[in-house]
């Protein structure tokens, strides 16, 4: 099992591309939901890649992780950016 702490190790860098996208898009507010959001995003990219395609708006709509701070727009932008660099 990979945790948010181990995610950079999966790519051999200081930050995983999805984590870098989160920073670039300044996604987090309180931060409470963010590890789960990032892990869900990485899992989603892996799923669509196994299906031989890219993330769609419908895929983003299907993410069910709750963010009480309402950062959903930035989350979607970060996932799109992160996917491009994975
Ligand atoms: S950033 Fe606060 S709950 Fe998502």
């Amino acid at each position: 099992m990979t945790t948010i702490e181990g995610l950079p190790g999966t790519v051999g860098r200081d930050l995983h591309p999805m984590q870098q996208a989160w920073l670039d898009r300044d996604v987090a507010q309180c931060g409470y939901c963010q590890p789960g959001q990032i892990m869900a995003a990485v899992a989603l990219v892996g799923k669509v890649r196994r299906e031989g395609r890219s993330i769609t708006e419908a895929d983003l709509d299907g993410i069910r992780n709750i963010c009480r701070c309402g950062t959903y727009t930035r989350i979607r932008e970060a996932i799109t950016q992160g996917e491009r660099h994975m």
Side-chain angles (χ1 to χ4, degrees), residues 14 32 68 71:
D14 291 339
Y32 180 77
R68 293 180 63 180
T71 63

Side-chain angles (χ1 to χ4, degrees), residues 18-34:
M18 196 63 75
Q19 292 173 307
Q20 186 61 56
W22 242 251
L23 291 177
D24 291 348
R25 297 289 174 162
D26 198 19
V27 174
Q29 284 192 22
C30 80
Y32 180 77
C33 74
Q34 300 298 307

Side-chain angles (χ1 to χ4, degrees), residues 48-65:
V48 301
R49 292 249 170 100
R50 285 190 297 277
E51 295 171 357
R53 60 186 185 85
S54 297
I55 288 176
T56 64
E57 291 295 315
D59 292 320
L60 296 174
D61 290 344
I63 295 175
R64 289 293 176 254
N65 292 50

